[in-house]
Amino acid sequence: LNSMLRLVILLTATLLSATVLYSQGEQQQAERSVIMRDNNAVIRSLGIDYEFDIVKDSVRVVQHFSKETEMLTDFTKIFANDEIYYDSFSSVEDLEAFTMVPGSKGFEKIPVSQFNESNDRGGGIFYDDSKSLNFVYPSLKKGARTELHYTLLHHNPRFLNKISFQSYLPVLNGKVTVKVHKSIRLGFRFFNCAEGFLQYSTYSKGQHNYHVWETHDVVAYKYLDSDNYSILYYSPHISVSIEEVKLRDTTLKYYSTVDDLYHFYHSLLPSEGGSPSAGLAELTESITANLNPRERAKAIYYWVQDNIKYVAYTEGFMGFIPATADEVFARRFGDCKGKSSLIKKMMEIAGLKAYYSWVGTRELPYTYSELPLPSTDNHMVVAFKDNDSVFILDGTFRFIDFGMYPFSIQGKEVLVGVDSDNYFIFKVPVSGPGESIVFDSVNIQLAGDRISGEGLRSHSGFSRYELAHAMEGVKPADYNRRLTALFTKGNNKFSVDTCTFHTLHDHEKPAEVSYSFKISDYARRVNNDLFINLNLDRSLSDSKIDTTIRYAPVVNDFQYTEVQITRFLIPEGYEISYLPGDDLIENDILSASFRYSRAGRYITLEKKLEYRFLLLKGDQIKTWNSTIDRLNSNYRLSVALQKTDAQPETK
């Protein structure tokens, strides 16, 4: 696959804020005069008030939200849309949104007339039950101000949202107030709040304690969200949670340690008792008979991958409670929890010990010790121990081999449940670039200005996973068209003429395809000179980042290697007048080598790129940009051939 399909780099300038960043560091605040000068709009005030109270011997949690935004220029259209996020554990009350429009007689209040509810599925495969209310502010123009006020009633105090001090627009004044009954003990955890960013005060009144945090002149998000990376990695925010509540006759424990979180999770698991259905037991025994433990685990994993469809749905507590193995087996579909339940039960039938496990994908930045709350993870897998090795079995990841750690959780912690009281934390290793390889070897020749060629391409590791997914459901008649898009070479006139897959969806085998192709209008002729660029694949050539605008960090799904070998048949009647020199680029981010050689009538370019990172931000972007510049210097080099007076060779 073209590396740009995998490397998520959002380079487009945002229209939401100034084009010039206040600094290239992680600066969180700026002078108000600079903010007012360089932005199209600002949030004048952002207020969040939490109330933790005891009503009729039960806990009541209410959150009040208010926001006032001012239009500073006539560029207002992009600020008209707004939305409110919530889920099945909360409900929106006392909602009011309106625009204050300036006129000759002061401001006129024009309310929002329509709110549309929708499910917010996000961009990943792990669906949750997030919802949103979407609406449009009317009559925006320079000087207008929008206001939004609502109350969020939390129906279950175990599931609370985070408090952010930053937004897509600068915030001139931000204030968070937490009112808490003295019988409730709260936990406050701060993330990415630089020293001096918050001013804290506290006081008591009657049965309640008050905690107040204020901040001013907060710059807009520096980065944009992208796959496997969210603003939570760098944006200042607070997580508020209940640790303990003393009621009249009892004391309720919530979350203060990882132990508390694990015991809550374990209480939601299906019962371990009972025999599996006859059909499930019979199937498991048939696919694992006469195999050693690791091969049994492998057979079960592949069967679930191939036969259980992934269907994600959660509503309330069903987002935490796995369906039983028999339910998933009978329906032939399940979400990450249901698939984990089935894998675990089949492993037990086969005499293997497997464990329910919880993990947060890479878009979540937390470790369990930093944030022992349900918001630390969003996914369930199965852990299988074989001697000293821990294997993570993720039923939602098709086309990856047993023993491969899903790239969406690499580098993250897995909370592995052993029994009702015991667990351990396993940190998922990061696969190196040698574990996922694209090898593409082509022979090309020239006919006029058109190149024709034949190639053999092999994808292993996660590169095979990507190719298998890209080809899933494609009819053989459409293979050439799909590979034309995936194997882009040379210019936009590249096309695949024929292709034959030798392997594609086979477990533990690289995906291999032979193909023929052509590229029209590729070679360049000047009098008796012929110029041809052997860099048919120019990975990352358009990936330089303009750091004067708001941009996404560079996120790579997984580390991998590209090997591209291009053999060019020298046309009869020509000889080499210039052959580019070799080059080696070597740093912690990327390794790239270019090596030219001649053997007989063939010129060969051997190119190898190793992608050695998962995430780049901050000062690493400078190294990235200089690396792209050097790559492009190599990509611009062409082989030069000169026409000779020699007679054509006899074939």
Side-chain angles (χ1 to χ4, degrees):
L1 287 175
N2 188 298
S3 63
M4 289 304 295
L5 297 178
R6 159 187 321 123
L7 198 63
V8 184
I9 308 170
L10 302 179
L11 305 177
T12 305
T14 178
L15 297 175
L16 301 181
S17 66
T19 57
V20 180
L21 291 174
Y22 302 109
S23 77
Q24 296 306 313
E26 299 297 330
Q27 186 172 347
Q28 296 177 330
Q29 293 165 301
E31 292 184 6
R32 184 164 297 190
S33 60
V34 174
I35 290 176
M36 300 296 285
R37 180 194 68 203
D38 291 343
N39 289 272
N40 294 307
V42 294
I43 297 174
R44 296 195 64 85
S45 64
L46 182 65
I48 299 173
D49 297 337
Y50 252 124
E51 297 179 3
F52 294 83
D53 217 336
I54 296 178
V55 178
K56 296 182 179 179
D57 211 32
S58 64
V59 179
R60 182 174 185 266
V61 182
V62 177
Q63 183 179 3
H64 304 285
F65 180 91
S66 64
K67 179 177 69 173
E68 181 185 6
T69 305
E70 180 180 358
M71 306 296 115
L72 301 179
T73 71
D74 290 320
F75 184 82
T76 62
K77 184 177 181 181
I78 200 168
F79 307 113
N81 295 284
D82 206 347
E83 53 192 339
I84 300 168
Y85 293 99
Y86 61 106
D87 56 30
S88 60
F89 293 116
S90 58
S91 58
V92 177
E93 300 180 350
D94 303 325
L95 172 59
E96 184 183 23
F98 54 87
T99 303
M100 298 296 291
V101 182
S104 59
K105 297 182 180 180
F107 284 87
E108 178 187 1
K109 180 178 178 180
I110 304 179
V112 172
S113 58
Q114 184 173 352
F115 298 88
N116 300 311
E117 182 181 84
S118 63
N119 289 321
D120 178 53
R121 293 178 179 270
I125 63 171
F126 309 117
Y127 171 71
D128 58 27
D129 63 351
S130 297
K131 300 177 178 64
S132 65
L133 284 173
N134 307 279
F135 55 95
V136 178
Y137 293 108
S139 305
L140 293 189
K141 67 177 184 178
K142 182 178 179 180
R145 297 185 180 184
T146 65
E147 291 193 34
L148 172 63
H149 307 276
Y150 65 90
T151 296
L152 203 62
L153 181 61
H154 293 276
H155 305 303
N156 191 314
R158 286 189 174 275
F159 307 101
L160 305 178
N161 51 9
K162 302 176 183 67
I163 300 173
S164 177
F165 294 102
Q166 199 171 29
S167 182
Y168 67 96
L169 287 173
V171 178
L172 301 186
N173 302 289
K175 184 177 181 180
V176 172
T177 302
V178 177
K179 173 186 176 183
V180 54
H181 194 281
K182 291 180 179 180
S183 296
I184 301 175
R185 188 178 81 230
L186 298 182
F188 301 103
R189 294 175 174 85
F190 297 82
F191 298 92
N192 309 313
C193 295
E195 184 177 356
F197 176 74
L198 296 174
Q199 296 82 52
Y200 172 71
S201 61
T202 184
Y203 60 93
S204 297
K205 185 184 296 184
Q207 291 295 310
H208 299 90
N209 294 322
Y210 291 79
H211 304 270
V212 182
W213 292 272
E214 295 185 70
T215 189
H216 306 281
D217 306 325
V218 183
V219 299
Y221 297 139
K222 175 181 177 182
Y223 296 122
L224 303 172
D225 278 335
S226 61
D227 287 358
N228 291 324
Y229 186 84
S230 77
I231 58 174
L232 296 173
Y233 272 88
Y234 60 86
S235 184
H237 60 280
I238 299 178
S239 176
V240 182
S241 60
I242 298 177
E243 295 186 348
E244 185 179 274
V245 180
K246 293 182 179 179
L247 299 176
R248 185 180 308 158
D249 299 319
T250 186
T251 297
L252 302 177
K253 294 278 290 182
Y254 285 80
Y255 314 112
S256 59
T257 65
V258 182
D259 285 356
D260 296 331
L261 177 64
Y262 175 69
H263 288 135
F264 170 66
Y265 278 171
H266 192 273
S267 70
L268 301 177
L269 295 177
S271 172
E272 295 290 332
S275 300
S277 67
L280 179 57
E282 181 180 346
L283 170 79
T284 304
E285 291 166 3
S286 69
I287 66 174
T288 60
N290 303 317
L291 299 177
N292 64 41
R294 187 170 298 190
E295 292 298 319
R296 272 178 271 160
K298 186 183 298 185
I300 291 168
Y301 184 44
Y302 290 154
W303 187 90
V304 173
Q305 275 190 350
D306 295 339
N307 295 278
I308 303 299
K309 185 178 180 181
Y310 177 73
V311 177
Y313 180 77
T314 60
E315 183 70 26
F317 268 108
M318 293 311 297
F320 298 87
I321 301 174
T324 67
D326 285 330
E327 288 174 332
V328 177
F329 178 70
R331 296 182 305 200
R332 291 297 199 270
F333 68 82
D335 62 5
C336 63
K337 302 174 299 300
K339 284 196 167 194
S340 295
S341 184
L342 178 58
I343 291 172
K344 183 177 184 297
K345 177 59 71 173
M346 292 177 72
M347 300 274 274
E348 291 174 354
I349 295 170
L352 304 173
K353 191 64 178 175
Y355 309 103
Y356 283 115
S357 303
W358 298 262
V359 61
T361 55
R362 280 166 44 200
E363 65 180 332
L364 298 175
Y366 314 106
T367 65
Y368 281 102
S369 61
E370 290 172 338
L371 192 68
L373 300 174
S375 54
T376 295
D377 51 49
N378 59 353
H379 191 34
M380 177 174 274
V381 294
V382 173
F384 165 61
K385 289 189 71 175
D386 185 31
N387 296 323
D388 294 330
S389 299
V390 176
F391 296 91
I392 298 299
L393 309 184
D394 184 345
T396 68
F397 253 79
R398 292 191 64 196
F399 309 130
I400 68 169
D401 294 333
F402 180 87
M404 294 177 65
Y405 296 106
F407 57 75
S408 61
I409 62 172
Q410 289 192 5
K412 296 301 302 294
E413 289 184 346
V414 181
L415 181 64
V416 182
V418 178
D419 54 37
S420 59
D421 295 316
N422 297 290
Y423 63 88
F424 66 90
I425 291 177
F426 171 72
K427 187 171 182 178
V428 181
V430 175
S431 302
E435 297 182 49
S436 297
I437 300 174
V438 175
F439 180 87
D440 192 14
S441 178
V442 300
N443 293 320
I444 61 174
Q445 57 187 359
L446 200 59
D449 292 334
R450 187 181 76 176
I451 283 177
S452 61
E454 296 180 346
L456 175 65
R457 189 164 175 130
S458 171
H459 289 234
S460 65
F462 289 118
S463 297
R464 181 185 78 88
Y465 159 87
E466 285 194 325
L467 182 60
H469 263 290
M471 297 303 297
E472 187 177 20
V474 179
K475 298 177 181 178
D478 295 326
Y479 278 3
N480 291 347
R481 182 182 303 175
R482 177 58 63 90
L483 293 185
T484 295
L486 297 177
F487 294 175
T488 302
K489 298 178 185 295
N491 59 33
N492 59 5
K493 295 183 179 180
F494 166 81
S495 64
V496 172
D497 295 325
T498 64
C499 66
T500 302
F501 277 97
H502 307 294
T503 54
L504 180 58
H505 294 125
D506 301 42
H507 295 297
E508 301 180 20
K509 292 181 181 179
E512 287 190 353
V513 56
S514 300
Y515 64 104
S516 64
F517 62 93
K518 62 177 177 289
I519 309 174
S520 299
D521 300 329
Y522 188 72
R524 185 164 57 94
R525 298 177 188 272
V526 180
N527 298 324
N528 291 326
D529 295 319
L530 173 65
F531 301 91
I532 184 161
N533 192 321
L534 299 187
N535 290 283
L536 301 184
D537 298 84
R538 300 174 190 178
S539 302
L540 307 178
S541 60
D542 297 324
S543 301
K544 192 172 179 180
I545 293 178
D546 183 355
T547 57
T548 64
I549 62 176
R550 195 187 304 182
Y551 56 92
V554 184
V555 179
N556 200 16
D557 282 346
F558 50 87
Q559 298 185 27
Y560 62 101
T561 298
E562 292 180 2
V563 179
Q564 299 158 5
I565 299 175
T566 304
R567 298 182 184 88
F568 171 60
L569 177 64
I570 301 172
E572 293 181 352
Y574 283 86
E575 64 180 16
I576 299 173
S577 59
Y578 173 74
L579 194 65
D582 298 344
D583 194 17
L584 175 64
I585 304 170
E586 193 80 29
N587 54 52
D588 293 338
I589 295 172
L590 190 77
S591 170
S593 62
F594 297 80
R595 188 160 65 91
Y596 291 85
S597 61
R598 176 180 180 174
R601 291 182 56 202
Y602 282 92
I603 301 171
T604 300
L605 168 60
E606 295 184 41
K607 181 169 55 179
K608 181 179 180 181
L609 285 78
E610 285 188 1
Y611 298 75
R612 299 172 169 176
F613 67 93
L614 294 180
L615 173 68
L616 303 178
K617 65 186 185 77
D619 291 339
Q620 292 176 304
I621 301 298
K622 297 177 182 178
T623 303
W624 172 261
N625 281 344
S626 63
T627 302
I628 302 305
D629 284 340
R630 192 162 161 190
L631 275 176
N632 283 327
S633 295
N634 281 278
Y635 289 158
R636 286 190 290 268
L637 297 177
S638 294
V639 172
L641 303 172
Q642 190 174 49
K643 201 168 187 179
T644 67
D645 295 327
Q647 295 296 316
E649 296 180 13
T650 301
K651 295 186 178 180

